[in-house]
Amino acid sequence: MASPQPPHILLFPFMSKGHTIPLLHLARLLLFHRRIKLTLITTTANRPFIAHFLGWTTDDPNIIDLPFPTQIQGIESTDKLPSMSLFTQFATATKLMQPHFEQALNKLSNVTAIVSDWFLSWTLESANKFGIPRLSFHGMNNYVDAVGHQVFMNQLLSGPESDDDLITVPGFPWIKITRNDYEEPFNQRVPTGPSIDFINESITATANSYGLVSNSFYELEPLFIDYLNRELKPKVWCVGPLCLAEPPPEVEARVDHQQQPKWMEWLDQKLAQECSVIYVAFGSQAEIWIQQLEEISKGLEESQVSFLWVVRKNDDETSVVMKNLEERVGERGMIVREWVDQIEILRHESVKGFVSHCGWNSVLEGICWKVPILAWPMMAEQHLNARMVVEEIKIGLRVETCDGSVRGFVKADGLKKMVKELMEGEKGKEVRKKVEDIGEGAKKAMAEGGSSWRTLNELIDELQGVRNSNGDTSPSTKGNTTPS
Ligand code: UDP
């Protein structure tokens, strides 16, 4: 009898840093810990980032780059978009990659499965043409999906008069949301428009895929994972937190680490001075207007806490605010205006708090390095993530807005008060203890024998079985893995 083919998995990340990074962490897991053959699909401009992340040379043949549609000013990653209002146009343009993707599939042999971002819904059709199971990679948590399912099934957003009225979620009656927790146009009574169409296509393609790969771990949100596996298709496979997938030392040594950046030296100094630092960062996409940046700078100055603030905006107005702040706080603060290694910062011993927009990757990174969060959601599903962080898993506090609305303006006083509470107050102590416990749970889930470790093994075994038996690539119906 012929021996079974070794697995060959094709990974196709969406071109946003917050979507690409976790899938590259999955690539590390598959490559370095399971020795699985991988092919990465990307675009020309994103090739160097992927190669560098995996410690590969830029021309590595296991990376295939496809031409990216040119209609968005030659931009190939959402963090480079001049405005997030172009997001749907950008995401929809990826459909034009389908013929190139299928040409690439034609040349590859023995692909066991395709794991593509849920925003690349059209990859399902291509996978079906080639008889390859497609798994949708979902960069969100299961709380957001389960609550979202209840909200839309029960049309909860069509009821309240005010955008800030609390609405009880029937399936999870302890959870209260507001219309303001949802973005425009998802918050409308009858949501319509291109972004709704885009999300609906993504959801439908995920439902018809073989499985959903989730960057979460069972013990973090069992109720919500069980709910999804009971109520919806396809099966959710929780294999995270993926940010804990570190490369082995020999690969790490190949990654070109430049000189220690100045902010890491500054953190070392703070550690030597026994000073706790709050890290302030809002991810790769959030747009913050100048008046809000001014209030953040005042709030951080008045808090008297040492801070490391990563600012994405690079215009002249922002430069003036930052320069003034630097002059006022001197050595107490460090402002960075370039890409940082966020994980390296969060794992630094001096970092004891994280003012975060609650992008799911940032939340998981806070959990894994046991840094409690001051939640300040800005866009996408971040308002629901913030509810999860503060009200469900209780690893953070919420920043205070001046009118109490979850989308309200944050004045310097509201920020200062909550920064001090997180770093020095009683509530801060409680959430610090909680994040330490949950962070331990995350490590256990990813360690050999843990729930995520076993789920990934089971997924690979199942896919290999499907491939070797030329089996059915429709959604997996077997029961979900729960920890023993
Ligand atoms: N990130 C980073 N350096 C930066 C900005 C972001 O390493 O200067 C990483 C961060 O660690 C996280 C990802 O980019 O892994 C951002 O994802 P998240 O879901 O937190 O937010 P998004 O950018 O999608 O809003």
Side-chain angles (χ1 to χ4, degrees):
M1 205 172 87
S3 59
Q5 292 280 355
H8 172 195
I9 294 183
L10 191 144
L11 298 182
F12 193 168
F14 181 71
M15 305 84 186
S16 276
K17 291 289 181 290
H19 289 237
T20 301
I21 291 172
L23 210 53
L24 292 178
H25 283 133
L26 177 64
R28 280 183 179 169
L29 258 192
L30 295 170
L31 276 173
F32 307 132
H33 301 293
R34 311 289 149 94
R35 308 277 166 208
I36 282 172
K37 177 172 167 52
L38 282 191
T39 300
L40 269 293
I41 305 282
T42 188
T43 70
T44 316
N46 288 302
R47 176 184 263 272
F49 183 82
I50 289 181
H52 182 261
F53 204 100
L54 298 176
W56 291 353
T57 56
T58 318
D59 59 355
D60 193 291
N62 294 312
I63 305 176
I64 298 176
D65 55 77
L66 310 178
F68 191 75
T70 52
Q71 54 266 71
I72 324 253
Q73 303 158 22
I75 288 168
E76 296 186 17
S77 182
T78 59
D79 52 305
K80 301 272 184 325
L81 287 174
S83 158
M84 283 308 282
S85 60
L86 291 167
F87 178 81
T88 306
Q89 199 189 334
F90 177 95
T92 312
T94 63
K95 287 182 185 171
L96 300 173
M97 298 166 77
Q98 187 166 2
H100 302 287
F101 179 53
E102 290 178 12
Q103 276 164 23
L105 279 180
N106 230 342
K107 290 190 197 138
L108 292 170
S109 56
N110 297 322
V111 178
T112 313
I114 296 173
V115 181
S116 57
D117 193 280
W118 75 297
F119 281 174
L120 302 171
S121 55
W122 49 269
T123 55
L124 174 64
E125 190 183 86
S126 307
N128 286 345
K129 273 190 205 165
F130 287 80
I132 304 169
R134 181 245 181 175
L135 288 109
S136 177
F137 177 75
H138 209 227
M140 306 198 311
N141 57 63
N142 298 283
Y143 167 97
V144 167
D145 269 2
V147 169
H149 183 245
Q150 281 277 312
V151 166
F152 290 102
M153 290 299 287
N154 295 299
Q155 298 187 350
L156 297 183
L157 302 185
S158 64
E161 284 298 310
S162 148
D163 289 346
D164 290 309
D165 281 355
L166 287 171
I167 312 163
T168 301
V169 179
F172 312 106
W174 64 96
I175 299 178
K176 311 237 183 300
I177 52 115
T178 67
R179 194 187 288 130
N180 252 335
D181 287 316
Y182 285 84
E183 285 280 280
E184 180 82 36
F186 298 89
N187 58 3
Q188 298 300 305
R189 290 200 157 80
V190 186
T192 52
S195 55
I196 300 289
D197 297 343
F198 172 74
I199 290 296
N200 282 340
E201 278 171 23
S202 305
I203 291 173
T204 306
T206 294
N208 292 317
S209 295
Y210 184 87
L212 187 157
V213 177
S214 170
N215 189 9
S216 185
F217 58 108
Y218 184 78
E219 295 80 353
L220 182 67
E221 41 175 0
L223 269 177
F224 305 100
I225 297 164
D226 289 345
Y227 172 88
L228 293 175
N229 278 324
R230 211 171 45 240
E231 303 290 329
L232 291 174
K233 282 192 313 174
K235 178 174 162 179
V236 178
W237 301 81
C238 289
V239 298
L242 293 165
C243 57
L244 287 175
E246 298 199 20
E250 69 276 14
V251 175
E252 182 66 1
R254 282 207 304 272
V255 176
D256 171 29
H257 287 295
Q258 285 145 10
Q259 221 192 338
Q260 161 114 309
K262 63 177 189 299
W263 54 90
M264 294 310 296
E265 282 173 10
W266 179 85
L267 285 177
D268 288 344
Q269 276 170 26
K270 291 289 155 198
L271 187 63
Q273 294 159 0
E274 296 181 9
C275 257
S276 296
V277 173
I278 193 155
Y279 170 54
V280 185
F282 304 103
S284 63
Q285 302 184 142
E287 292 166 340
I288 306 175
W289 48 312
I290 191 73
Q291 285 84 350
Q292 189 59 89
L293 284 175
E294 278 167 349
E295 292 297 320
I296 300 176
S297 82
K298 254 201 267 174
L300 290 175
E301 179 189 357
E302 289 170 10
S303 72
Q304 295 298 321
V305 169
S306 293
F307 64 88
L308 166 55
W309 182 12
V310 180
V311 184
R312 279 185 71 233
K313 245 177 151 191
N314 240 332
D315 56 289
D316 294 345
E317 248 182 338
T318 308
S319 298
V320 174
V321 176
M322 296 308 140
K323 197 162 171 296
N324 288 342
L325 178 62
E326 272 168 344
E327 279 166 12
R328 293 198 306 267
V329 297
E331 274 298 295
R332 181 161 66 79
M334 166 65 70
I335 298 165
V336 181
R337 307 195 60 193
E338 55 198 285
W339 185 262
V340 297
D341 181 341
Q342 177 162 295
I343 291 179
E344 194 182 24
I345 291 174
L346 285 169
R347 78 193 326 168
H348 195 281
E349 263 182 273
S350 64
V351 175
K352 301 288 185 206
F354 183 10
V355 182
S356 170
H357 69 312
C358 293
W360 184 236
N361 297 298
S362 292
V363 171
L364 283 177
E365 289 159 14
I367 288 176
C368 291
W369 284 281
K370 303 176 180 169
V371 183
I373 290 174
L374 183 56
W376 187 344
M378 307 256 161
M379 54 178 276
E381 88 291 10
Q382 293 155 15
H383 288 82
L384 290 171
N385 290 347
R387 283 204 186 273
M388 183 197 191
V389 161
V390 177
E391 294 163 12
E392 189 69 29
I393 56 175
K394 300 184 170 64
I395 58 155
L397 307 177
R398 187 140 184 168
V399 78
E400 216 172 75
T401 59
C402 62
D403 59 0
S405 165
V406 294
R407 285 188 193 260
F409 189 73
V410 177
K411 290 213 170 132
D413 265 358
L415 178 62
K416 172 182 140 186
K417 178 178 156 197
M418 294 315 292
V419 163
K420 287 185 90 63
E421 186 60 50
L422 185 77
M423 299 298 273
E424 298 157 10
E426 276 311 306
K427 288 190 187 136
K429 263 193 209 143
E430 284 167 24
V431 292
R432 189 174 308 283
K433 168 83 184 66
K434 199 70 205 280
V435 81
E436 281 166 9
D437 293 348
I438 294 187
E440 270 312 295
K443 288 208 173 96
K444 279 193 192 134
M446 286 293 281
E448 193 164 340
S451 61
S452 294
W453 186 89
R454 283 185 291 118
T455 299
L456 186 62
N457 277 349
E458 283 167 25
L459 174 59
I460 294 165
D461 289 348
E462 196 177 298
L463 288 170
Q464 229 178 333
V466 170
R467 196 67 188 144
N468 288 327
S469 63
N470 271 336
D472 183 10
T473 62
S474 57
S476 167
T477 49
K478 288 194 189 161
N480 199 50
T481 311
T482 50
S484 52

